Amino acid sequence: MSALHIITLSLTAGAVALSVIALQWRSALRFGRFSTTAAALSATLGLAVRWAVSGHAPIFGTFENTYTLAWALLATATVVGFVRRDLEDLWRMAVPWALASMTYGLQFRSEPVPLTISEQSLWVDIHAVFAWIALVSFLGVTSLAAVRVIGGRPLGLPAERSDDLMTELLMIGYAGFTGMLATGAWYSFVLFGTFWQWDIVESLALVTWLSYGVVIHGRLFYRWGSRRFDMAVLLVLPLLIAAYFVWSFFPDTWHFFDIPLVKPY
Amino acid sequence: MSFWVIGAWIVLTLVWLVPFQFTGQSKATVQAIAEDWFALRIVYLATAVVTTVCTYSRIKKDWRRRDASVRPTPTEAAQGPFPVGSDDIEAWLRSQGYRVTREDQALRATVNRYSLLGGSVFHVGIVAVGLSLALHSATVESVSLRVTEGQTFAEAGWTAEEELLLPSSIRHHRLVSITPEYYEDVLLFTRLTARIETPAGTQQEFSLARPYWIDPVRVLSIQDYNLAPHIAVVDWAGEREEHVIAMNLSPPGTEDSAEIPVSPLYVSLIAYPDYGVVDGRNVSMSYNIVEPAFLMSVQTGDRAGPLKARELLRLGDSLTVDGYEISVPELSRYGTFRLTTAPGLPLVLLSLLMTLIGLAWRFFLRRHDVMAWETDEGLMIDGWTDMRGREAGRGRLIRLARQAGVLG
């Protein structure tokens, strides 16, 4: 584990603390934003170094996945916060997930290793990019829904605006998730000669995709009110987390990336 | 109805499929539940029906809506329009790519009016994915075969049925080499590449992650590799015969056995691809083929026969049993290949592409509606962007108006 990883983790933890402090002391928001930006920069640098050392994109194994997820959340919140003044507090939605993700990743092997042969394909990279777009968007929707369920006004936005933002994030997430399934199915055909294998990760991903499909249809075509919409988004969260991380503790899947480095004697 | 059907699919998968995957059931069992269980089959069929019906009704609705401005209504727009200082708002909107229509006192304009149809394309794609996957499953054929380095695919021991699947275009291709590679001394497979030679003498290389496409619907993939020692036998008359025997000897420590042709002997081998001795034990220092050695046990007759000799041989060493001199002069490898013929493949790809195109269409060509009307305070204008709401629509209008210098 590198020093940059520890710095990112500390800055993220600091941002979470400042987000909580800001509930009473609004000036803490400025420091929290700064801490998030610094964490995003540190994560960018840390992952770039890791990429250079391992020779591949840092998206393999639980440690790298959780690190990259944290980076994606922090970087998205930072960039959107700079570009859109009305969303400058978006970092408050991102940092708890980033901290949880990095903390979980600490339990796994962290030394960089080369890719196994089945991972050496551009399709895997494209599959992972779609996956991250989907996960970051869905976690964003979940945060907004959680704040609304406990009676808050996420990011200080009026209800109509947060409705629009959630719908947009949900649709981006769904598009990303669909792209992830399509590219994954194609690569499964390339590797195994079959598009679908009813692997645990695939089963959970299918159920998650169907569930978000139901939420989107409820929202767009059945005029679900905010309360029902928010609750539905929160209900799908366990499936989303399971679909993305079940392989990290259940190795009997084609998606297992924490391969033990077994010596022959 | 569609909610119930999709809900049933979600619930059945969660309570009757996912738990089996956690309890260590074989992949075949799980696949049988997912594909053959009657309740899930009913759900699949119902899903196909409701999705088709919903998609059909949406296409009709979206087609009708292409010309109708859905928002903003005059009442909504009256809550927060902004004035525009242009005398000819209609010409300006047209110059920005809007399709303009006039209604009584108001003017409506739309850009990307076919955007909603992107959603229909996505849904048609989803139905097509289901149907094409069903077609694919019914028509796909796959065979596995072992080809040793130096052999052609035609020499790989096909059954008559399998032979029919072997296209003539690959029949006389020869496997030149299959090369595995592991990271340092650990079981981390970093390379598995096959090199084949066409009858014309040109060579092509492919790997596990990048298979060899024979044509658009036939693909040759590497599944695995293993070791094929050359076993040479010299009998008491000095007659020498060499046989390449495909054995299952990898990873190191795996023991496999075979009859030795032209002799009454039976050998068992353990291969050490990178031989070394640690604490007095024969071991392989890594998984890579560096300094191969073999622990050879020789029995008479078959596996149950009496042990005649057991010795560690390096390449070229020999062992003499009952007048037969046995040696391993060379170590080749063989690949396990899979030839898949998938006539439904273009349809599956087309439908997957359709879902992605539909989504991209819906997202990146978003419909934008504008309404403009005269008031006592001047010309007012307001906008709405599909899925992003009025604020985004108004923001877009303001940007356009500022660029054109017509913002009042």
Side-chain angles (χ1 to χ4, degrees):
Chain A
M1 195 178 13
S2 72
L4 284 165
H5 182 269
I6 296 169
I7 291 170
T8 307
L9 184 60
S10 309
L11 288 166
T12 308
V16 172
L18 287 162
S19 177
V20 175
I21 292 168
L23 294 173
Q24 289 298 321
W25 184 48
R26 297 289 297 171
S27 307
L29 287 176
R30 200 151 41 98
F31 298 107
R33 204 157 43 242
F34 176 77
S35 189
T36 306
T37 306
L41 289 173
S42 151
T44 307
L45 201 58
L47 287 169
V49 169
R50 194 174 173 89
W51 192 330
V53 170
S54 68
H56 61 79
I59 51 173
F60 297 91
T62 308
F63 179 82
E64 286 191 352
N65 267 288
T66 51
Y67 197 0
T68 306
L69 170 60
W71 168 80
L73 288 160
L74 295 166
T76 305
T78 302
V79 171
V80 173
F82 271 114
V83 175
R84 297 277 301 272
R85 301 307 295 174
D86 57 331
L87 300 179
E88 65 181 5
D89 287 339
L90 190 65
W91 62 273
R92 297 181 78 184
M93 305 287 138
V95 288
W97 297 114
L99 181 63
S101 172
M102 290 186 84
T103 308
Y104 180 61
L106 286 177
Q107 301 168 53
F108 296 85
R109 192 183 68 223
S110 63
E111 75 265 29
V113 289
L115 298 181
T116 62
I117 34 181
S118 58
E119 295 161 352
Q120 296 166 13
S121 170
L122 188 61
W123 286 109
V124 178
D125 298 331
I126 297 170
H127 179 63
V129 168
F130 276 125
W132 293 124
I133 290 171
L135 186 54
V136 168
S137 305
F138 285 149
L139 289 179
V141 176
T142 308
S143 295
L144 294 169
V147 173
R148 290 185 353 161
V149 163
I150 58 174
R153 226 172 66 166
L155 309 172
L157 296 172
E160 188 195 355
R161 179 73 191 101
S162 65
D163 270 356
D164 289 342
L165 181 63
M166 285 177 75
T167 307
E168 186 167 12
L169 278 174
L170 196 59
M171 298 297 273
I172 292 171
Y174 200 68
F177 208 89
T178 307
M180 177 190 80
L181 290 180
T183 49
W186 169 245
Y187 194 52
S188 171
F189 179 80
V190 168
L191 279 186
F192 306 110
T194 175
F195 284 96
W196 197 262
Q197 300 202 85
W198 297 108
D199 176 281
I200 182 80
V201 174
E202 291 175 23
S203 301
L204 286 169
L206 175 68
V207 171
T208 307
W209 184 78
L210 290 171
S211 302
Y212 278 118
V214 167
V215 175
I216 288 171
H217 282 80
R219 181 70 179 170
L220 294 183
F221 305 120
Y222 293 85
R223 299 179 192 284
W224 281 4
S226 298
R227 180 86 185 163
R228 188 190 280 191
F229 176 57
D230 295 342
M231 291 306 292
V233 166
L234 292 179
L235 272 176
V236 186
L237 178 67
L239 288 175
L240 178 72
I241 302 288
Y244 272 81
F245 289 103
V246 66
W247 54 267
S248 70
F249 58 87
F250 184 73
D252 189 16
T253 157
W254 299 113
H255 290 79
F256 184 61
F257 301 122
D258 289 312
I259 297 167
L261 302 179
V262 179
K263 288 178 186 282
Y265 65 93
Chain B
M1 180 65 178
S2 52
F3 277 87
W4 287 108
V5 171
I6 305 291
W9 189 354
I10 293 169
V11 170
L12 286 176
T13 305
L14 285 177
V15 302
W16 199 247
L17 188 70
V18 170
F20 282 115
Q21 293 175 307
F22 277 115
T23 54
Q25 295 293 320
S26 71
K27 295 204 184 305
T29 307
V30 171
Q31 186 173 353
I33 295 170
E35 292 175 8
D36 300 332
W37 185 36
F38 76 99
L40 275 173
R41 283 191 161 198
I42 290 170
V43 166
Y44 299 152
L45 186 66
T47 304
V49 171
V50 295
T51 313
T52 307
V53 171
C54 287
T55 303
Y56 174 67
S57 60
R58 279 231 70 78
I59 290 174
K60 277 207 310 191
K61 209 177 283 180
D62 291 346
W63 183 255
R64 278 202 300 267
R65 281 168 64 193
R66 77 193 188 281
D67 287 333
S69 283
V70 281
R71 284 188 191 178
T73 62
T75 320
E76 282 174 329
Q79 289 167 10
F82 61 89
V84 174
S86 167
D87 291 337
D88 193 355
I89 185 70
E90 186 172 342
W92 174 66
L93 284 169
R94 282 190 203 284
S95 72
Q96 299 300 317
Y98 284 86
R99 183 176 184 273
V100 181
T101 50
R102 284 200 168 273
E103 293 175 15
D104 298 336
Q105 304 293 312
L107 178 146
R108 287 183 180 277
T110 310
V111 73
N112 293 334
R113 65 196 176 110
Y114 292 106
S115 164
L116 299 180
L117 288 174
S120 299
V121 171
F122 169 72
H123 285 86
V124 170
I126 293 293
V127 175
V129 166
L131 293 176
S132 60
L133 279 178
L135 178 73
H136 168 77
S137 304
T139 55
V140 69
E141 287 183 290
S142 193
V143 286
S144 235
L145 75 157
R146 296 198 303 199
V147 186
T148 308
E149 288 173 333
Q151 271 187 330
T152 63
F153 281 83
E155 293 167 346
W158 297 78
T159 63
E161 201 174 293
E162 289 168 347
E163 186 92 29
L164 292 174
L165 288 172
L166 187 65
S168 56
S169 52
I170 199 163
R171 197 173 289 263
H172 300 295
H173 283 42
R174 189 170 60 84
L175 178 65
V176 177
S177 64
I178 179 154
T179 314
E181 205 172 279
Y182 295 89
Y183 173 58
E184 294 181 346
D185 59 349
V186 291
L187 189 55
L188 191 71
F189 223 159
T190 53
R191 184 183 173 201
L192 187 58
T193 314
R195 181 173 285 277
I196 53 174
E197 188 180 75
T198 64
T202 53
Q203 293 199 353
Q204 276 182 310
E205 196 174 84
F206 59 101
S207 70
L208 187 134
R210 280 181 290 278
Y212 176 61
W213 287 90
I214 300 164
D215 56 43
V217 296
R218 272 182 291 212
V219 60
L220 182 71
S221 345
I222 313 174
Q223 284 180 291
D224 203 357
Y225 89 99
N226 217 301
L227 304 177
H230 296 225
I231 297 183
V233 181
V234 181
D235 66 15
W236 56 86
E239 200 76 21
R240 185 180 192 277
E241 285 215 25
E242 188 174 309
H243 298 270
V244 185
I245 303 177
M247 300 179 86
N248 182 22
L249 296 171
S250 186
T254 309
E255 182 170 0
D256 198 9
S257 51
E259 283 178 21
I260 302 182
V262 302
S263 84
L265 302 174
Y266 188 86
V267 295
S268 299
L269 284 184
I270 295 177
Y272 304 101
D274 184 8
Y275 179 70
V277 177
V278 173
D279 298 334
R281 287 182 303 126
N282 297 322
V283 296
S284 188
M285 305 305 289
S286 73
Y287 294 88
N288 290 306
I289 298 173
V290 182
E291 290 283 341
F294 308 88
L295 185 63
M296 181 182 280
S297 305
V298 183
Q299 294 158 277
T300 35
D302 55 23
R303 187 192 281 270
L307 181 69
K308 304 290 284 188
R310 188 178 176 85
E311 212 168 288
L312 186 88
L313 302 180
R314 288 177 180 274
L315 286 184
D317 290 351
S318 63
L319 169 68
T320 304
V321 180
D322 291 348
Y324 292 96
E325 186 187 292
I326 306 164
S327 63
V328 185
E330 202 181 330
L331 180 64
S332 291
R333 290 168 288 245
Y334 68 88
T336 308
F337 295 88
R338 183 185 50 242
L339 175 69
T340 307
T341 306
L345 187 59
L347 284 178
V348 178
L349 291 181
L350 201 66
S351 46
L352 283 175
L353 196 64
M354 201 183 231
T355 60
L356 297 179
I357 288 174
L359 281 174
W361 180 351
R362 189 82 165 85
F363 277 116
F364 297 112
L365 295 175
R366 282 195 187 157
R367 181 180 174 130
H368 182 66
D369 284 287
V370 170
M371 201 182 93
W373 68 103
E374 290 285 355
T375 67
D376 294 341
E377 295 155 21
L379 184 68
M380 308 302 269
I381 189 167
D382 203 3
W384 180 83
T385 299
D386 178 33
M387 288 192 293
R388 295 186 68 183
R390 187 195 294 141
E391 196 171 323
R394 196 170 289 164
R396 183 187 164 167
L397 263 181
I398 290 172
R399 270 197 312 280
L400 286 174
R402 278 209 181 110
Q403 282 164 13
V406 295
L407 192 63

